[in-house]
Amino acid sequence: MIRIAFEWLPASRRRRSLGTIVAVEGGPGFPSTGSFTEYHGIFGPLLRARNLLLVDNRGTGHSALIRCRMLDSYPQRARASGPPFARVVGACGRSLNRRYRTRRGTRIQASDLFATAYAVQDLRAVLAKLGLRRVDLYGDSYGSWFVQAFMARFPGVLRSVILDSTYAIRGLDPYYGSSGSSGRAALDRVCQRDPGCVAAAGVGSATTRLGELIARVRRRPLRGTAPGRHGRRVPVTIDPRHLVDLFQDSGSDPLVLRDFDAAVRAALRGDRLPLLRLVAYDSSTNGGSPHPAFFSDGDYMAVGCTDYPQLFSLRASPAVRRRQLRASVRAAPAGVFAPFTTREWVTMSGYSETYDTCLDWPLPRHHAPVLPVRTRPLPASVPVLVLGGDLDDLTPLSDAERFAPTLGQRVRVIDLHNTVHVTSEGDTYLSDGARCARAIIRRFITTPARLARLDARCAARIPHIHTPGSYPLTFRAAPAAALVSGPAPGLQARRAVTVAARAFADATMQRAASGARTGLGLRGGFFMVKGHRLWQFRLHRIRFVRDALVDGTGTYRVSDGAVRATLTVAVGRRRYVVRVAWNQASLCARAKVGKAVLRLPAP
């Protein structure tokens, strides 16, 4: 027996509620109760008249939390794949088989008892205990996978279903080949939709340029030091494996998508620093979580190794599994992961895909299929809303568009333009995307019967991701802003506008990445920031380019990315005072130098 924990938030302004929303978090490994703030943000005003129920899946939070010391403490900058990591994961599974016993004292093989099918039964038991007959069920990422398993078993307790950034249970590809094609499309779209990137990149696609860089680092990895997350410079190495992680992680992180192509172009020109910094940032998110109550590494592996299809048979011995994996890699469809080879692709972090992570997981004893043998589409009385971002390569929207119509008689898929994985939770700086997704979800829960007429027009109007355009090494290489009106300030002043705007944008993105109150400039200097909803910055001798200094102050409004800054750019003995402004919806930033008004692509 295990305890299942939940949090219950009753409707705040009604004695008798209009119903209950149940939200299920993803990972797997994140407890649903740990995302109370995000879910409160998503459902917002609905909670005045509706209850909110959050149940921690077994293995997470306060529901038989899985703690695996060696896995939880696995270094974040170490390689989370390969034989050493697989051995640590296998040891975690074996520890579960020693942890639980029957009342008679005999050991229970618990390594395969954290499967989705059992967690689904747990949620149903909680609903029955609370006397809840029909609920609105929301799931994001793995939570949406869980919801699919739940609705296949218990359709009678559902009023509506929301699948946010979802992927298929039936027929799930163990190669996850669609991540390759969707990742390429996302990388190209970000550049094609941003005026700054289009102007700087010239001919060719972002994917083609990435392929050129991969070919170089295959021969000779890039090495150096770069500003890290916590205001310190860290050593960085870039080989194809690091670029695989960066590519895959971009579907969940707009900060990576924003910088990726510009950093690749800089590296191809010989300036490796922007890419070193981007890899340093991304690498610090791969590895064990020292706080299993926040994210259980053990639960992630227990579910992934039990439920997800593998490139080998879990019923084989570890030695046979390794031979089968090698054979599967050789047999992979040609070019599916281009510009990476299949061998390079499967080296990605086990926290993205479990290609070789489960090689040493204990042989399964209990069989709990994710879906029952017979499943029927949900009836028309239970509408299904599916949302996804067209830049998400972790749970590609193209997959959802293919399989979602099979889930029910009334299903609608909505493309959240220019967004990434689960943008609705508000965990990224894409505030316009989060606002649109939340509005659509709230309208649907209010009147599910109007699914076909649901107003989702905002989904096509979400602003594109601004890119830095380029990373010039010197002041002279910086593109000049265009004069709109007033006296011409000269070429140097127009370049100073670009350097000032990009330096300030870079500081805002570094703040969004780290959450720290201080940070380092790309090539030198530092910034300080205070405030919560309105970030107030002070830049001190920031070097965005090698031979110019940027000082000054400015603000960044979290709700819409609105920037207002007054900055001084020092180039040799010359000083240029620049005032700049833009927001997330801006195609262009506006600037002033003296009485001259100028324009440049919003960075």
Side-chain angles (χ1 to χ4, degrees):
M1 299 294 291
I2 60 173
R3 293 179 181 271
I4 299 298
F6 65 89
E7 287 188 7
W8 170 261
L9 180 69
S12 62
R13 295 189 182 178
R14 277 182 178 254
R15 291 184 178 179
R16 185 173 182 179
S17 74
L18 297 180
T20 297
I21 300 169
V22 180
V24 185
E25 186 51 278
F30 289 109
S32 296
T33 60
S35 296
F36 176 86
T37 300
E38 288 80 0
Y39 292 142
H40 198 280
I42 291 175
F43 305 117
L46 297 180
L47 301 181
R48 298 171 186 169
R50 289 172 170 79
N51 312 309
L52 177 64
L53 173 64
L54 306 176
V55 179
D56 287 348
N57 281 350
R58 56 171 62 193
T60 73
H62 298 284
S63 296
L65 175 64
I66 298 178
R67 297 176 184 269
C68 291
R69 184 180 59 81
M70 290 182 63
L71 189 57
D72 297 341
S73 61
Y74 196 79
Q76 291 194 325
R77 293 196 177 278
R79 177 182 174 184
S81 62
F85 187 68
R87 287 193 290 271
V88 171
V89 172
C92 176
R94 291 190 295 275
S95 73
L96 294 177
N97 295 339
R98 296 190 297 268
R99 188 171 306 174
Y100 294 95
R101 296 178 181 272
T102 66
R103 292 179 178 177
R104 295 182 177 179
T106 57
R107 288 178 177 173
I108 299 173
Q109 175 151 333
S111 57
D112 43 3
L113 289 181
F114 292 88
T116 302
Y118 299 123
V120 162
Q121 300 283 350
D122 297 338
L123 175 57
R124 181 66 186 96
V126 172
L127 295 181
K129 194 74 173 179
L130 296 177
L132 299 175
R133 296 183 178 180
R134 296 190 73 203
V135 300
D136 297 292
L137 186 56
Y138 167 94
D140 61 82
S141 192
Y142 165 74
S144 73
W145 211 67
F146 173 99
V147 166
Q148 291 178 55
F150 185 94
M151 68 193 204
R153 289 175 169 82
F154 306 111
V157 301
L158 299 175
R159 175 177 176 265
S160 71
V161 171
I162 305 104
L163 304 177
D164 191 344
S165 301
T166 194
Y167 53 112
I169 291 181
R170 195 178 301 281
L172 182 60
D173 174 18
Y175 289 101
Y176 303 99
S178 59
S179 287
S181 57
S182 60
R184 292 191 295 270
L187 195 60
D188 290 340
R189 285 169 181 162
V190 168
C191 188
Q192 292 163 357
R193 295 170 181 176
D194 179 65
C197 189
V198 170
V203 298
S205 68
T207 300
T208 300
R209 292 186 285 272
L210 175 60
E212 294 175 14
L213 182 69
I214 293 168
R216 290 191 187 184
V217 300
R218 284 182 186 130
R219 296 191 298 268
R220 178 179 295 179
L222 301 179
R223 291 183 173 86
T225 61
R229 274 189 174 222
H230 304 293
R232 298 188 302 270
R233 296 185 69 85
V234 295
V236 184
T237 297
I238 302 177
D239 59 23
R241 178 178 63 82
H242 295 96
L243 293 177
V244 165
D245 282 338
L246 198 63
F247 182 91
Q248 177 73 337
D249 293 344
S250 67
S252 305
D253 193 337
L255 288 161
V256 175
L257 275 176
R258 173 189 186 272
D259 282 6
F260 205 161
D261 185 52
V264 166
R265 281 185 273 117
L268 290 172
R269 294 194 308 269
D271 178 15
R272 62 185 66 182
L273 183 57
L275 190 61
L276 290 170
R277 182 180 66 168
L278 189 58
V279 169
Y281 159 72
D282 185 62
S283 297
S284 65
T285 63
N286 286 317
S289 169
H291 307 290
F294 168 75
F295 173 77
S296 172
D297 300 87
D299 183 73
Y300 176 88
M301 301 305 171
V303 174
C305 295
T306 302
D307 287 340
Y308 289 166
Q310 304 290 336
L311 293 173
F312 51 84
S313 172
L314 273 170
R315 297 194 174 278
S317 68
V320 173
R321 292 176 186 178
R322 283 167 168 76
R323 290 198 295 271
Q324 292 173 340
L325 175 61
R326 290 193 293 269
S328 294
V329 170
R330 290 193 298 269
V336 69
F337 302 118
F340 301 99
T341 66
T342 303
R343 189 179 297 276
E344 290 167 342
W345 184 263
V346 299
T347 64
M348 75 167 55
S349 168
Y351 290 98
S352 292
E353 306 294 0
T354 56
Y355 288 119
D356 63 359
T357 300
C358 303
L359 286 168
D360 292 315
W361 194 259
L363 272 69
R365 180 175 299 175
H366 310 96
H367 180 62
V370 183
L371 289 178
V373 176
R374 294 183 180 180
T375 60
R376 295 181 179 179
L378 286 177
S381 58
V382 185
V384 180
L385 173 66
V386 180
L387 306 96
D390 71 342
L391 303 178
D392 179 3
D393 66 0
L394 189 61
T395 56
L397 182 64
S398 57
D399 289 355
E401 291 171 335
R402 174 182 51 80
F403 77 83
T406 68
L407 300 177
Q409 296 180 24
R410 295 179 63 196
V411 180
R412 183 173 174 184
V413 181
I414 294 178
D415 175 351
L416 297 170
H417 220 47
N418 293 313
T419 68
V420 295
H421 190 62
V422 199
T423 301
S424 58
E425 286 202 345
D427 293 333
T428 74
Y429 71 88
L430 300 180
S431 53
D432 282 353
R435 190 158 37 246
C436 173
R438 291 174 173 186
I440 293 170
I441 291 169
R442 292 169 189 172
R443 292 183 194 124
F444 173 67
I445 291 177
T446 301
T447 53
R450 298 185 60 185
L451 176 63
R453 302 188 302 277
L454 180 67
D455 182 2
R457 289 174 292 179
C458 67
R461 298 196 294 261
I462 298 170
H464 72 278
I465 291 179
H466 294 162
T467 79
S470 64
Y471 281 106
L473 185 60
T474 64
F475 183 82
R476 188 174 181 178
L483 180 65
V484 175
S485 63
L491 180 61
Q492 292 284 80
R494 292 192 291 124
R495 285 175 173 158
V497 167
T498 299
V499 170
R502 292 185 182 179
F504 192 82
D506 191 69
T508 64
M509 293 298 99
Q510 296 309 308
R511 168 67 167 87
S514 69
R517 294 182 177 274
T518 61
L520 299 177
L522 176 63
R523 306 181 198 278
F526 65 93
F527 64 85
M528 298 178 290
V529 58
K530 60 182 180 180
H532 180 55
R533 295 178 181 173
L534 185 70
W535 298 345
Q536 302 167 52
F537 285 84
R538 179 174 293 278
L539 274 59
H540 182 72
R541 299 178 67 83
I542 291 286
R543 291 184 183 270
F544 185 76
V545 294
R546 191 164 54 190
D547 51 352
L549 300 175
V550 181
D551 292 90
T553 60
T555 61
Y556 177 92
R557 190 166 60 205
V558 175
S559 62
D560 61 356
V563 165
R564 299 286 185 276
T566 300
L567 306 163
T568 299
V569 182
V571 187
R573 295 183 179 180
R574 296 203 171 192
R575 302 286 188 276
Y576 301 95
V577 177
V578 179
R579 286 173 288 171
V580 291
W582 71 86
N583 61 37
Q584 279 185 22
S586 304
L587 278 177
C588 294
R590 291 181 69 84
K592 282 189 175 183
V593 177
K595 295 183 178 180
V597 178
L598 303 105
R599 181 182 67 241
L600 72 156

